[in-house]
Structures are given as structure tokens and as C-alpha cells.
Amino acid sequence: MDIAAIYRIGLSVELTGALALWLALALRVPSARHSRQQRMLLFAVAGLAGSITVYLDPVSAALNRTFVFANSCGLFMNIWGVLASALILDFVLAATARRRPLLVYGLGTAVSVALIVLNATIAPHAGCVSAQVVPWYSPFWWLLIVAHLVATVPSAALCARYAVRAGNDRALRTGLLLLAAGFVSSTVFWLIVLAYLLARPAWLGAFFPLNIGITAWLMTAGVALPLFLDARRQLRNRAALWRLWPLWRDLAAAVPHVVLDEPRGRVRQLLGRPRTTHLRLYRQVVEIRDAMLVLRDYVNDEEMDLAAASAAIGRSPRRHTTSPAVVAVWLDVATRNKANGVAPQRGQDDSAADAGHDLDSEVAFLRDLCRARTAAPAHAIATRTAAPAGRAVDATPNDTARSEQTA
């Protein structure tokens, strides 16, 4: 691959990366409204996105065609880069509880003024390092490089530091590492500029667009990771609502007073905003649990032991009465007993299943329960289990045949 091909690929990566970064920032704005730290992070990344955008050939050409920036030779993009550095440094200091906005933006303004003066007097058109031959000791470019490194190096170190402290929170750790990699990539860009300034190898300039594009994509990944996680969570919640609906429908029919609102259709419950979907899932889990607690009173200890012995083959029955397979059996027995008018017995031991420590663990157990209920032997075991207890069970001849075949 020749240098020209690398340059063309870099331009494509740079353009798509800038567009993706602005899109990710726009999508993150609603979630950052109530978080000051997130807002400052987005401001810092927006500044970096702006400095990347003004380096795009169409944008820089349009700027240089205007009356104000005509013949500025890249001065505007460099001033914007200083502003972006100030935003990034402000974010770093705020994250370390040492924010000094007046100092940071005052220095940024001073550097910008110095660059304008240097470009107009000591080193005319010094902003055009790629077009004008400037000396390696050019104060314009040394000042510009230092201004960027002062912001990107601490930012990379800060994100990496907090990524290490994230512990078991893999999502947070991954997001911080991506942001750290983006700041490292930006640091590498300015080190390449420094190497170009000192040695002037012609081939090195071909890597500028590619490096900028990689920086944009890394920052996009870091900014967009929460959006991806939220989308995945919403898909998971909707999938859970869909799969738990048959269990909820059957238990709601058996114990209708546990249902808070009028039941929705299976498809209609999937519609709505993300927060609405989460609340529906939470309420559905609570209603299923309440119905299970009510139905537990319709199964006596003997039936529970038989259910455990039937479903937990080769295990201690009393030790596994909360497994999904056993719960599926006694729920079927309890539903039949209640439908046949069997009187509930209060004071049964709490074998309705161990409660999970959060919504995800509850949903995981109930999904296992749904799978256990649809297993082929479950209905036959439930029919066989209810019979010895001397209770009325609405078993058909086909149920009895299946029960004997299973036995």
C-alpha cells in the first residue's frame, strides 16, 4: 500500500469518524442534562469533535474561502484546537475537584492571542506547517503543541486511572478505557506533528488524516457505549416481557386480585418509552411473585415433598423445593387445587422460590420457570403429584395416561 492510498483511506476514516462522533454527542445530550460531570465530558468531547471537524478538507476549504479567514492558512482550526484543549483541561480539573475555570480559559485566551500575533508578525502564515517551510524552533507550533499535550496527556491518565478503579463494572471500565485511548491517539497526533516539524519526512504527513480518524472513532465508541448499553437493556426488557407474559397471564387468571391495572395484550405491553417498559417489567415480576405467594397456600407439605421428589430426581427433595422445575410442578398443582375449590392452608413454609437480589436475577429465575413449565413431563408430574394427597384434581384420561407413561 503506497502513501497516497494511506492518505485516501485516512480521509475516509476521518470524515466518517467526525460524523459518527457528532451523532453520538447529539444522542447523549438528553441523558446528560441532569449530570454536571456528564455535561462537562460532553463539552470536552464536543470541543475535540470541533477541532477534528475543522481539519476536514471541505470544512477547512470553506473557511479559507470566507473573507474573515481568507489566507488564514489554518489559523482558525488551530485556535479552535486551543479552545478544545481548554475544555478538556477544565473537565480533567473538575473530575479531580480542582477546577479553575478562570485560569484555564484565561490561559486558553492568552495562547490564542499569542498564536494570532505570532502568525501575523514573527512567523507569517506559520499555521501552514504543511505548506510553508517554517523553522523547527517555530514558537507558533511549539506553543500549539504544548497547549494540546497539556490537555490530552492528563485526560488520558485520568480516564485510565478511573478505569482501573471501576472494579467489576465492566461497562464503566470499557467506556473509560475507550476515552483514554482516544486521548492517547490525540496525543500521538501532536507527537507526529512535532516529529514532522523536526525531521520533515514527506511520508509522515500522509498519516495525519488516519490518526485523526482513529481518534474520532475511539471517542465515538467511548461516548456511544452508554447508548449501546441502554439499547441492549431495552431489548432485554422487552424480550423478558414477551417471554414472561404466558406465566403472568396464567397466574393472573388464577389470582386476579394481584393485578394492579387492566391486563394488556402481549404485543401492546411492548410499546412505550424505555422507562415505561422497565416499570411494566418490574410490575409484572411483582405480580407474578404475589400470585406465587398466594398459590403456595394451596399446596400442602406432602404435595410439596412429592413435587420435589418428582422433579429433583436423585436430590434431597426438601433442599431443592425452590428450583424452577419444582416450582413449576407445585404451581400447576396449586392452580388446579384452587380451581377445584380446595381450601387454602395458612402458615405454609415459604417455598415460593428464593427472591433474587435485583430485577435481573428475578427475571432470570422466572424465565427458567417458564422453560420448566413448558417442558413435556411437567404437566404429567403435576397430575401424578396431586393425586396421592386426596384432593380433587381435574385430570383427564389423557393426563393419566401421560402420567403413567412418564412414571
Side-chain angles (χ1 to χ4, degrees):
M1 182 179 296
D2 58 6
I3 298 301
I6 294 176
Y7 185 78
R8 288 194 299 271
I9 293 174
L11 290 177
S12 299
V13 176
E14 183 184 36
L15 177 60
T16 56
L19 294 175
L21 183 54
W22 281 116
L23 177 61
L25 286 170
L27 294 176
R28 279 293 304 275
V29 168
S31 63
R33 287 181 302 175
H34 306 294
S35 173
R36 181 171 171 271
Q37 283 189 334
Q38 288 193 33
R39 287 198 304 272
M40 294 196 67
L41 174 61
L42 293 187
F43 281 138
V45 177
L48 184 60
S51 64
I52 292 173
T53 302
V54 295
Y55 271 93
L56 298 175
D57 286 347
V59 178
S60 61
L63 287 173
N64 288 333
R65 283 197 301 267
T66 65
F67 176 77
V68 176
F69 301 109
N71 301 320
S72 68
C73 205
L75 182 62
F76 176 80
M77 65 179 68
N78 291 320
I79 298 301
W80 184 279
V82 173
L83 173 62
S85 299
L87 290 169
I88 294 171
L89 187 58
D90 188 26
F91 160 70
V92 172
L93 294 177
T96 57
R98 299 176 182 175
R99 191 183 181 209
R100 299 290 187 274
L102 292 178
L103 177 62
V104 170
Y105 294 108
L107 287 175
T109 302
V111 171
S112 300
V113 172
L115 292 177
I116 294 173
V117 172
L118 288 171
N119 189 71
T121 58
I122 299 176
H125 306 301
C128 289
V129 70
S130 60
Q132 299 288 337
V133 178
V134 295
W136 65 269
Y137 54 84
S138 168
F140 180 97
W141 281 99
W142 279 95
L143 183 60
L144 184 62
I145 291 170
V146 170
H148 281 278
L149 294 181
V150 165
T152 56
V153 172
S155 298
L158 179 72
C159 292
R161 176 185 176 188
Y162 280 101
V164 173
R165 292 184 176 182
N168 295 327
D169 192 339
R170 291 177 18 181
L172 177 60
R173 184 170 65 251
T174 302
L176 289 172
L177 287 176
L178 287 170
L179 292 174
F183 287 121
V184 168
S185 180
S186 181
T187 302
V188 170
F189 171 79
W190 289 105
L191 293 177
I192 293 176
V193 172
L194 178 61
Y196 185 88
L197 185 66
L198 295 175
R200 302 300 173 92
W203 57 268
L204 197 56
F207 289 92
F208 285 169
L210 182 61
N211 181 264
I212 295 174
I214 292 174
T215 301
W217 277 110
L218 286 172
M219 300 303 292
T220 299
V223 171
L225 182 62
L227 299 173
F228 170 77
L229 294 177
D230 286 342
R232 188 180 68 172
R233 189 178 300 111
Q234 288 307 309
L235 289 175
R236 189 169 63 242
N237 287 346
R238 284 175 167 80
L241 277 170
W242 179 265
R243 292 174 182 174
L244 295 184
W245 191 83
L247 173 63
W248 174 85
R249 176 199 58 197
D250 295 344
L251 296 185
V255 192
H257 68 270
V258 302
V259 179
L260 182 62
D261 293 334
E262 181 180 353
R264 291 173 169 265
R266 193 173 187 180
V267 176
R268 284 186 60 196
Q269 69 174 348
L270 304 180
L271 306 178
R273 296 178 300 174
R275 180 174 176 80
T276 303
T277 304
H278 180 268
L279 291 176
R280 284 175 185 165
L281 177 61
Y282 181 82
R283 189 173 64 195
Q284 190 177 80
V285 170
V286 170
E287 291 173 353
I288 290 174
R289 280 293 186 178
D290 289 345
M292 290 171 63
L293 289 174
V294 172
L295 290 174
R296 175 63 186 92
D297 293 336
Y298 290 87
V299 184
N300 60 32
D301 290 340
E302 182 181 358
E303 289 170 326
M304 184 65 72
D305 289 341
L306 290 172
S310 300
I313 300 173
R315 301 175 180 177
S316 174
R318 298 296 298 166
R319 227 177 254 181
H320 297 277
T321 55
T322 59
S323 70
V326 178
V327 174
V329 174
W330 71 252
L331 271 180
D332 199 354
V333 174
T335 303
R336 289 164 177 264
N337 288 343
K338 186 176 184 301
N340 291 328
V342 174
Q345 299 181 9
R346 302 293 179 184
Q348 303 289 345
D349 66 318
D350 185 14
S351 299
D354 295 333
H357 61 277
D358 57 16
L359 182 61
D360 290 339
S361 59
E362 286 279 2
V363 170
F365 174 83
L366 294 179
R367 287 178 63 173
D368 290 339
L369 177 59
C370 290
R371 284 190 288 267
R373 290 178 74 239
T374 57
H379 180 73
I381 293 174
T383 304
R384 182 182 64 185
T385 302
R391 296 190 176 195
V393 178
D394 185 17
T396 64
N398 290 335
D399 294 335
T400 306
R402 282 198 301 268
S403 176
E404 292 175 355
Q405 185 178 359
T406 305

Short mmCIF file of all heavy atoms in Angstrom, two decimals, residues 212-255:
data_model
loop_
_atom_site.label_atom_id
_atom_site.label_comp_id
_atom_site.label_asym_id
_atom_site.label_seq_id
_atom_site.Cartn_x
_atom_site.Cartn_y
_atom_site.Cartn_z
N ILE A 212 -6.23 11.22 12.92
CA ILE A 212 -7.39 11.99 13.36
C ILE A 212 -8.66 11.13 13.31
O ILE A 212 -9.51 11.18 14.21
CB ILE A 212 -7.54 13.25 12.49
CG1 ILE A 212 -6.35 14.19 12.70
CG2 ILE A 212 -8.85 13.97 12.81
CD1 ILE A 212 -6.36 15.39 11.77
N GLY A 213 -8.80 10.32 12.25
CA GLY A 213 -9.97 9.45 12.13
C GLY A 213 -10.03 8.42 13.23
O GLY A 213 -11.10 8.13 13.79
N ILE A 214 -8.88 7.82 13.56
CA ILE A 214 -8.85 6.84 14.66
C ILE A 214 -9.25 7.49 15.97
O ILE A 214 -10.01 6.93 16.77
CB ILE A 214 -7.45 6.21 14.75
CG1 ILE A 214 -7.18 5.33 13.52
CG2 ILE A 214 -7.30 5.40 16.03
CD1 ILE A 214 -5.76 4.79 13.45
N THR A 215 -8.75 8.71 16.20
CA THR A 215 -9.14 9.44 17.41
C THR A 215 -10.65 9.64 17.46
O THR A 215 -11.29 9.44 18.50
CB THR A 215 -8.43 10.80 17.46
OG1 THR A 215 -7.01 10.60 17.43
CG2 THR A 215 -8.81 11.57 18.71
N ALA A 216 -11.23 10.04 16.34
CA ALA A 216 -12.68 10.29 16.29
C ALA A 216 -13.46 9.02 16.59
O ALA A 216 -14.44 9.05 17.36
CB ALA A 216 -13.06 10.84 14.92
N TRP A 217 -13.05 7.90 16.01
CA TRP A 217 -13.79 6.66 16.23
C TRP A 217 -13.64 6.15 17.66
O TRP A 217 -14.59 5.61 18.24
CB TRP A 217 -13.33 5.60 15.23
CG TRP A 217 -14.02 5.73 13.91
CD1 TRP A 217 -13.48 6.12 12.73
CD2 TRP A 217 -15.41 5.47 13.65
NE1 TRP A 217 -14.43 6.14 11.74
CE2 TRP A 217 -15.63 5.73 12.27
CE3 TRP A 217 -16.48 5.05 14.44
CZ2 TRP A 217 -16.88 5.59 11.68
CZ3 TRP A 217 -17.73 4.91 13.84
CH2 TRP A 217 -17.92 5.17 12.48
N LEU A 218 -12.46 6.32 18.26
CA LEU A 218 -12.28 5.91 19.65
C LEU A 218 -13.15 6.75 20.58
O LEU A 218 -13.80 6.22 21.50
CB LEU A 218 -10.81 6.03 20.05
CG LEU A 218 -9.86 4.97 19.47
CD1 LEU A 218 -8.41 5.33 19.78
CD2 LEU A 218 -10.19 3.59 20.03
N MET A 219 -13.19 8.05 20.35
CA MET A 219 -14.04 8.90 21.17
C MET A 219 -15.51 8.60 20.94
O MET A 219 -16.32 8.64 21.88
CB MET A 219 -13.75 10.38 20.86
CG MET A 219 -12.31 10.81 21.12
SD MET A 219 -11.75 10.53 22.82
CE MET A 219 -12.75 11.70 23.71
N THR A 220 -15.86 8.27 19.70
CA THR A 220 -17.24 7.89 19.41
C THR A 220 -17.64 6.64 20.18
O THR A 220 -18.73 6.57 20.77
CB THR A 220 -17.43 7.64 17.90
OG1 THR A 220 -17.12 8.84 17.19
CG2 THR A 220 -18.85 7.21 17.58
N ALA A 221 -16.75 5.66 20.20
CA ALA A 221 -17.04 4.42 20.93
C ALA A 221 -17.21 4.69 22.41
O ALA A 221 -18.12 4.15 23.07
CB ALA A 221 -15.93 3.41 20.68
N GLY A 222 -16.33 5.54 22.97
CA GLY A 222 -16.45 5.84 24.40
C GLY A 222 -17.72 6.60 24.74
O GLY A 222 -18.37 6.34 25.75
N VAL A 223 -18.10 7.55 23.89
CA VAL A 223 -19.30 8.35 24.14
C VAL A 223 -20.57 7.53 23.90
O VAL A 223 -21.57 7.67 24.61
CB VAL A 223 -19.29 9.61 23.25
CG1 VAL A 223 -20.63 10.34 23.33
CG2 VAL A 223 -18.17 10.54 23.67
N ALA A 224 -20.53 6.67 22.88
CA ALA A 224 -21.74 5.93 22.48
C ALA A 224 -21.95 4.66 23.28
O ALA A 224 -23.03 4.05 23.17
CB ALA A 224 -21.68 5.58 21.00
N LEU A 225 -20.97 4.23 24.08
CA LEU A 225 -21.14 2.97 24.82
C LEU A 225 -22.37 2.98 25.72
O LEU A 225 -23.13 2.00 25.73
CB LEU A 225 -19.87 2.68 25.63
CG LEU A 225 -19.90 1.36 26.42
CD1 LEU A 225 -20.01 0.17 25.46
CD2 LEU A 225 -18.64 1.23 27.28
N PRO A 226 -22.64 4.05 26.50
CA PRO A 226 -23.88 4.05 27.29
C PRO A 226 -25.14 3.93 26.44
O PRO A 226 -26.12 3.30 26.86
CB PRO A 226 -23.82 5.40 28.02
CG PRO A 226 -22.38 5.75 28.08
CD PRO A 226 -21.81 5.22 26.80
N LEU A 227 -25.12 4.52 25.24
CA LEU A 227 -26.27 4.40 24.36
C LEU A 227 -26.47 2.95 23.94
O LEU A 227 -27.60 2.44 23.90
CB LEU A 227 -26.07 5.27 23.12
CG LEU A 227 -25.93 6.77 23.35
CD1 LEU A 227 -25.56 7.47 22.04
CD2 LEU A 227 -27.22 7.34 23.93
N PHE A 228 -25.37 2.27 23.62
CA PHE A 228 -25.45 0.86 23.25
C PHE A 228 -25.96 0.01 24.40
O PHE A 228 -26.81 -0.87 24.22
CB PHE A 228 -24.08 0.37 22.79
CG PHE A 228 -23.98 -1.12 22.61
CD1 PHE A 228 -24.52 -1.74 21.49
CD2 PHE A 228 -23.36 -1.91 23.57
CE1 PHE A 228 -24.44 -3.11 21.33
CE2 PHE A 228 -23.27 -3.28 23.42
CZ PHE A 228 -23.82 -3.88 22.30
N LEU A 229 -25.47 0.29 25.60
CA LEU A 229 -25.90 -0.48 26.77
C LEU A 229 -27.38 -0.24 27.06
O LEU A 229 -28.11 -1.17 27.43
CB LEU A 229 -25.05 -0.10 27.98
CG LEU A 229 -23.57 -0.48 27.90
CD1 LEU A 229 -22.82 0.01 29.13
CD2 LEU A 229 -23.39 -1.98 27.73
N ASP A 230 -27.84 1.01 26.91
CA ASP A 230 -29.27 1.31 27.12
C ASP A 230 -30.13 0.58 26.09
O ASP A 230 -31.19 0.04 26.43
CB ASP A 230 -29.51 2.81 27.04
CG ASP A 230 -28.99 3.54 28.26
OD1 ASP A 230 -28.77 2.88 29.29
OD2 ASP A 230 -28.81 4.77 28.19
N ALA A 231 -29.68 0.59 24.84
CA ALA A 231 -30.44 -0.10 23.80
C ALA A 231 -30.50 -1.60 24.08
O ALA A 231 -31.56 -2.24 23.92
CB ALA A 231 -29.81 0.16 22.43
N ARG A 232 -29.38 -2.17 24.51
CA ARG A 232 -29.37 -3.60 24.83
C ARG A 232 -30.28 -3.90 26.02
O ARG A 232 -30.99 -4.91 26.04
CB ARG A 232 -27.95 -4.06 25.12
CG ARG A 232 -27.81 -5.56 25.27
CD ARG A 232 -26.39 -5.97 25.56
NE ARG A 232 -25.97 -5.52 26.88
CZ ARG A 232 -24.81 -5.88 27.45
NH1 ARG A 232 -23.95 -6.63 26.78
NH2 ARG A 232 -24.49 -5.44 28.65
N ARG A 233 -30.27 -3.00 27.00
CA ARG A 233 -31.14 -3.19 28.17
C ARG A 233 -32.61 -3.14 27.77
O ARG A 233 -33.43 -3.93 28.27
CB ARG A 233 -30.82 -2.14 29.22
CG ARG A 233 -31.51 -2.36 30.56
CD ARG A 233 -31.11 -1.29 31.56
NE ARG A 233 -29.67 -1.29 31.78
CZ ARG A 233 -28.84 -0.33 31.39
NH1 ARG A 233 -29.33 0.72 30.73
NH2 ARG A 233 -27.56 -0.38 31.64
N GLN A 234 -32.95 -2.23 26.87
CA GLN A 234 -34.33 -2.14 26.42
C GLN A 234 -34.76 -3.37 25.65
O GLN A 234 -35.88 -3.87 25.83
CB GLN A 234 -34.52 -0.89 25.56
CG GLN A 234 -34.48 0.40 26.34
CD GLN A 234 -35.46 0.38 27.51
OE1 GLN A 234 -36.65 0.06 27.35
NE2 GLN A 234 -34.97 0.68 28.70
N LEU A 235 -33.89 -3.88 24.82
CA LEU A 235 -34.21 -5.11 24.10
C LEU A 235 -34.39 -6.27 25.07
O LEU A 235 -35.29 -7.10 24.91
CB LEU A 235 -33.10 -5.42 23.09
CG LEU A 235 -33.02 -4.50 21.87
CD1 LEU A 235 -31.80 -4.86 21.02
CD2 LEU A 235 -34.28 -4.60 21.03
N ARG A 236 -33.52 -6.32 26.09
CA ARG A 236 -33.63 -7.38 27.07
C ARG A 236 -34.92 -7.26 27.88
O ARG A 236 -35.58 -8.27 28.17
CB ARG A 236 -32.42 -7.34 28.01
CG ARG A 236 -32.33 -8.53 28.94
CD ARG A 236 -31.01 -8.60 29.67
NE ARG A 236 -30.81 -7.44 30.52
CZ ARG A 236 -29.85 -6.57 30.38
NH1 ARG A 236 -28.99 -6.68 29.38
NH2 ARG A 236 -29.72 -5.55 31.22
N ASN A 237 -35.31 -6.05 28.25
CA ASN A 237 -36.56 -5.85 28.99
C ASN A 237 -37.77 -6.26 28.17
O ASN A 237 -38.71 -6.90 28.68
CB ASN A 237 -36.69 -4.39 29.42
CG ASN A 237 -35.74 -4.02 30.55
OD1 ASN A 237 -35.16 -4.91 31.19
ND2 ASN A 237 -35.56 -2.75 30.78
N ARG A 238 -37.77 -5.87 26.89
CA ARG A 238 -38.90 -6.23 26.04
C ARG A 238 -38.95 -7.74 25.78
O ARG A 238 -40.03 -8.34 25.73
CB ARG A 238 -38.83 -5.45 24.72
CG ARG A 238 -39.24 -4.00 24.86
CD ARG A 238 -39.06 -3.21 23.58
NE ARG A 238 -39.74 -1.93 23.63
CZ ARG A 238 -39.27 -0.85 24.24
NH1 ARG A 238 -38.11 -0.90 24.85
NH2 ARG A 238 -39.96 0.28 24.25
N ALA A 239 -37.78 -8.35 25.64
CA ALA A 239 -37.75 -9.81 25.48
C ALA A 239 -38.27 -10.50 26.73
O ALA A 239 -39.00 -11.50 26.65
CB ALA A 239 -36.33 -10.27 25.16
N ALA A 240 -37.91 -9.96 27.92
CA ALA A 240 -38.39 -10.55 29.16
C ALA A 240 -39.90 -10.38 29.30
O ALA A 240 -40.61 -11.32 29.72
CB ALA A 240 -37.68 -9.90 30.36
N LEU A 241 -40.42 -9.21 28.93
CA LEU A 241 -41.88 -9.01 28.97
C LEU A 241 -42.59 -10.02 28.07
O LEU A 241 -43.63 -10.59 28.44
CB LEU A 241 -42.23 -7.59 28.53
CG LEU A 241 -42.14 -6.49 29.57
CD1 LEU A 241 -42.29 -5.12 28.92
CD2 LEU A 241 -43.21 -6.68 30.65
N TRP A 242 -42.05 -10.24 26.91
CA TRP A 242 -42.66 -11.17 25.96
C TRP A 242 -42.64 -12.60 26.50
O TRP A 242 -43.64 -13.32 26.40
CB TRP A 242 -41.92 -11.09 24.62
CG TRP A 242 -42.44 -12.01 23.57
CD1 TRP A 242 -41.98 -13.25 23.26
CD2 TRP A 242 -43.56 -11.77 22.70
NE1 TRP A 242 -42.73 -13.79 22.25
CE2 TRP A 242 -43.70 -12.91 21.88
CE3 TRP A 242 -44.44 -10.70 22.53
CZ2 TRP A 242 -44.68 -13.01 20.91
CZ3 TRP A 242 -45.41 -10.80 21.56
CH2 TRP A 242 -45.54 -11.93 20.76
N ARG A 243 -41.53 -13.02 27.06
CA ARG A 243 -41.39 -14.41 27.49
C ARG A 243 -42.09 -14.70 28.81
O ARG A 243 -42.50 -15.83 29.06
CB ARG A 243 -39.90 -14.76 27.60
CG ARG A 243 -39.21 -14.77 26.25
CD ARG A 243 -37.72 -14.97 26.37
NE ARG A 243 -37.07 -14.94 25.05
CZ ARG A 243 -35.77 -14.98 24.86
NH1 ARG A 243 -34.96 -15.04 25.90
NH2 ARG A 243 -35.27 -14.95 23.64
N LEU A 244 -42.22 -13.68 29.67
CA LEU A 244 -42.89 -13.90 30.95
C LEU A 244 -44.40 -13.75 30.84
O LEU A 244 -45.12 -14.09 31.79
CB LEU A 244 -42.37 -12.91 32.00
CG LEU A 244 -40.90 -13.02 32.41
CD1 LEU A 244 -40.59 -12.03 33.52
CD2 LEU A 244 -40.57 -14.43 32.86
N TRP A 245 -44.87 -13.24 29.71
CA TRP A 245 -46.31 -12.97 29.60
C TRP A 245 -47.18 -14.22 29.78
O TRP A 245 -48.19 -14.15 30.48
CB TRP A 245 -46.61 -12.32 28.24
CG TRP A 245 -48.00 -11.78 28.13
CD1 TRP A 245 -48.46 -10.59 28.56
CD2 TRP A 245 -49.12 -12.47 27.56
NE1 TRP A 245 -49.79 -10.45 28.29
CE2 TRP A 245 -50.23 -11.60 27.68
CE3 TRP A 245 -49.30 -13.70 26.97
CZ2 TRP A 245 -51.49 -11.94 27.22
CZ3 TRP A 245 -50.56 -14.05 26.52
CH2 TRP A 245 -51.64 -13.19 26.63
N PRO A 246 -46.86 -15.39 29.19
CA PRO A 246 -47.73 -16.57 29.43
C PRO A 246 -47.81 -16.95 30.91
O PRO A 246 -48.89 -17.29 31.40
CB PRO A 246 -47.04 -17.68 28.61
CG PRO A 246 -46.29 -16.95 27.55
CD PRO A 246 -45.80 -15.70 28.20
N LEU A 247 -46.68 -16.90 31.63
CA LEU A 247 -46.70 -17.19 33.07
C LEU A 247 -47.53 -16.17 33.81
O LEU A 247 -48.36 -16.54 34.66
CB LEU A 247 -45.26 -17.20 33.61
CG LEU A 247 -45.11 -17.34 35.12
CD1 LEU A 247 -45.66 -18.68 35.60
CD2 LEU A 247 -43.66 -17.16 35.53
N TRP A 248 -47.35 -14.90 33.50
CA TRP A 248 -48.13 -13.86 34.16
C TRP A 248 -49.62 -14.01 33.84
O TRP A 248 -50.46 -13.86 34.74
CB TRP A 248 -47.63 -12.49 33.69
CG TRP A 248 -48.47 -11.35 34.19
CD1 TRP A 248 -48.35 -10.70 35.37
CD2 TRP A 248 -49.57 -10.74 33.51
NE1 TRP A 248 -49.30 -9.71 35.48
CE2 TRP A 248 -50.07 -9.72 34.34
CE3 TRP A 248 -50.17 -10.95 32.27
CZ2 TRP A 248 -51.13 -8.91 33.98
CZ3 TRP A 248 -51.24 -10.15 31.91
CH2 TRP A 248 -51.71 -9.15 32.76
N ARG A 249 -49.96 -14.32 32.61
CA ARG A 249 -51.36 -14.48 32.22
C ARG A 249 -52.01 -15.61 33.01
O ARG A 249 -53.13 -15.46 33.53
CB ARG A 249 -51.45 -14.77 30.72
CG ARG A 249 -52.84 -15.05 30.19
CD ARG A 249 -52.75 -15.76 28.87
NE ARG A 249 -51.99 -17.02 28.99
CZ ARG A 249 -51.47 -17.68 27.96
NH1 ARG A 249 -51.61 -17.20 26.74
NH2 ARG A 249 -50.81 -18.81 28.15
N ASP A 250 -51.34 -16.75 33.12
CA ASP A 250 -51.93 -17.89 33.83
C ASP A 250 -52.09 -17.61 35.32
O ASP A 250 -53.12 -17.93 35.92
CB ASP A 250 -51.05 -19.14 33.64
CG ASP A 250 -51.02 -19.60 32.19
OD1 ASP A 250 -51.89 -19.17 31.41
OD2 ASP A 250 -50.11 -20.39 31.84
N LEU A 251 -51.08 -16.98 35.92
CA LEU A 251 -51.17 -16.70 37.36
C LEU A 251 -52.16 -15.57 37.63
O LEU A 251 -52.85 -15.59 38.66
CB LEU A 251 -49.79 -16.32 37.91
CG LEU A 251 -48.73 -17.42 37.84
CD1 LEU A 251 -47.44 -16.97 38.52
CD2 LEU A 251 -49.22 -18.71 38.48
N ALA A 252 -52.25 -14.61 36.70
CA ALA A 252 -53.24 -13.54 36.88
C ALA A 252 -54.66 -14.09 36.76
O ALA A 252 -55.57 -13.61 37.44
CB ALA A 252 -53.01 -12.44 35.84
N ALA A 253 -54.85 -15.09 35.93
CA ALA A 253 -56.17 -15.71 35.82
C ALA A 253 -56.50 -16.50 37.08
O ALA A 253 -57.65 -16.55 37.52
CB ALA A 253 -56.21 -16.62 34.60
N ALA A 254 -55.48 -17.12 37.68
CA ALA A 254 -55.71 -17.90 38.90
C ALA A 254 -55.89 -17.01 40.12
O ALA A 254 -56.70 -17.31 41.00
CB ALA A 254 -54.54 -18.86 39.12
N VAL A 255 -55.14 -15.91 40.18
CA VAL A 255 -55.22 -14.99 41.32
C VAL A 255 -55.41 -13.58 40.77
O VAL A 255 -54.47 -12.77 40.74
CB VAL A 255 -53.94 -15.07 42.19
CG1 VAL A 255 -54.16 -14.34 43.52
CG2 VAL A 255 -53.52 -16.51 42.43
#
